[in-house]
Structures are given as structure tokens and as C-alpha cells.
Amino acid sequence: MQASSSSHTVQTRDQVLVAHAANQIARTSLSQDDFAQALSRELHLSCPEKAIAKEVPDFAALTQQNDVTDFVKATGRWLKRVQRWLSGDQEMPSWLEESWVNALEPEFRDHCVNELASRHGLTGARQMTSDQCANKSFGALIRALGDVIDTGSEVFDDQVMCEQDLPHLPAFAKQCRQVEAKAGELGRRAEQLLASVQRNLKSVS
């Protein structure tokens, strides 16, 4: 898949988010309605209290209620809100951004994360979807740390980083970014598990 053709002209963070969502809608069989429902689901997973406060419909709960009329009305209202964000008619609120990215399909999500990260000089990290992925990422982190240690030993053999280390610096910088990305993946996975456990504990109590 090619990156969004608008990636060279997009200037703001909102426009980056909108561009990748629009790209997904244009290039896949998923519609605006599909994206709107995925966004609702992500909001209720990541920030349920905020979602409720902002009147984001919980389609899973509406489905269980078996009320077709309420479901259709909620779908229509929510789709109009999402369409206003997609068209740029309404500014996207900051509390929406993380869930917006997560609502994208994996391939489009990765491109979006990488573009957002590159604007801050960071390396984008792929979202993990299973414990096996977390285990693989931990192994990759260990390997990346080993590379940093090996190259860093050459850089800091005289205890300073200076112009004499220029031959090693490109590889060293890349390896440090890889460590940063892998550590970010694992950190997000740990935070997701913590949040899930805390929500379950609240529901039990």
C-alpha cells in the first residue's frame, strides 16, 4: 500500500489523522459508517467515562438492547459527527486522537503512527494485538539493546561522543530509535492490560 498522497502537503496533526482515515475509506471496502463504529468502539475501550460524557454511542450495548430504532438514530447522529471531522468542518478534539488512530485498520494505522512520529523525530511503533506479539517485541527489544550496547561500546570507548565517532553514529542513532520503538510497544501493552484490569475491578466492586 502506498502512503497517502496528501502526506507531503498535510501540515497539522488533525489533517494527518483525517488523511489516513480518508485514505483507508477510499482504498478499502470499509465505509465511513464502518470507521465511525470502529471509532466509537475504541473510545469506549480506551476512555469510557469521556465517551459517555461526550455522548459517544456504545453500539455494543445498543445491539444487546435489540432496539432497532435507537440503534439507527444513534448511528445516524454519530456518523454525522464523524463526517464533520473527516471533512474538516469541525476541529477534532484532542481526546479523540488516540482512539482515531486505533480505529484505523493495522496497515493504515502503522502509516499514520509513523507519519505522526516522524514530525517529532520519533520512530513509529506498531500496535500489538496479542500476547504472542508482546513476546516477540520483547525479544526484539533485547536484540535491539544488544546492538546499542555493541555500537555504543565503540562510540564511548573514550567515554565521550565526539566527531571521531562519526563513522558509528548513523548505526547508533538508528539502533537507539529501534529500542525506543520496541520499548514504546511494550509500554503501551502494559498500560492497556493495567487499564483493562482496573476496569474489571471497578465493574466487580
Side-chain angles (χ1 to χ4, degrees), residues 81-93:
R81 291 173 68 182
V82 174
Q83 286 175 335
R84 286 196 290 270
W85 290 319
L86 283 167
S87 66
D89 290 340
Q90 185 172 331
E91 184 177 353
M92 188 182 301

Side-chain angles (χ1 to χ4, degrees), residues 127-172:
Q127 183 180 23
M128 291 178 291
T129 56
S130 70
D131 293 337
Q132 185 178 11
C133 288
N135 185 52
K136 289 181 179 179
S137 288
F138 182 67
L141 175 60
I142 296 299
R143 291 192 295 273
L145 283 169
D147 291 338
V148 167
I149 291 171
D150 288 342
T151 308
S153 297
E154 297 290 338
V155 173
F156 293 102
D157 61 346
D158 56 356
Q159 299 184 349
V160 295
M161 183 187 294
C162 59
E163 293 181 358
Q164 294 179 353
D165 301 310
L166 287 177
H168 302 294
L169 293 184
F172 185 65

Side-chain angles (χ1 to χ4, degrees), residues 33-180:
D33 187 51
D34 292 323
F35 178 73
Q37 291 202 30
L39 177 59
S40 167
R41 181 174 61 252
E42 289 297 333
L43 284 166
H44 279 278
L45 284 172
S46 62
C47 50
E49 293 180 356
K50 175 68 74 172
I52 293 172
K54 296 297 182 179
E55 298 182 342
V56 177
D58 185 346
F59 290 106
L62 288 171
T63 300
Q64 292 176 355
Q65 293 173 9
N66 291 322
D67 191 324
V68 177
T69 301
D70 283 350
F71 187 92
V72 171
K73 288 181 178 179
T75 300
R77 288 194 297 266
W78 179 239
L79 180 58
K80 287 181 180 179
R81 291 173 68 182
V82 174
Q83 286 175 335
R84 286 196 290 270
W85 290 319
L86 283 167
S87 66
D89 290 340
Q90 185 172 331
E91 184 177 353
M92 188 182 301
S94 59
W95 57 268
L96 191 71
E97 293 181 3
E98 182 178 354
S99 295
W100 184 283
V101 174
N102 289 334
L104 295 169
E105 291 296 291
E107 188 176 3
F108 295 88
R109 184 190 311 139
D110 290 340
H111 281 283
C112 184
V113 169
N114 285 331
E115 183 169 349
L116 290 172
S118 68
R119 292 170 177 271
H120 299 282
L122 301 175
T123 300
R126 300 170 68 91
Q127 183 180 23
M128 291 178 291
T129 56
S130 70
D131 293 337
Q132 185 178 11
C133 288
N135 185 52
K136 289 181 179 179
S137 288
F138 182 67
L141 175 60
I142 296 299
R143 291 192 295 273
L145 283 169
D147 291 338
V148 167
I149 291 171
D150 288 342
T151 308
S153 297
E154 297 290 338
V155 173
F156 293 102
D157 61 346
D158 56 356
Q159 299 184 349
V160 295
M161 183 187 294
C162 59
E163 293 181 358
Q164 294 179 353
D165 301 310
L166 287 177
H168 302 294
L169 293 184
F172 185 65
K174 181 179 179 180
Q175 291 160 0
C176 286
R177 294 299 189 192
Q178 289 173 342
V179 169
E180 182 179 26

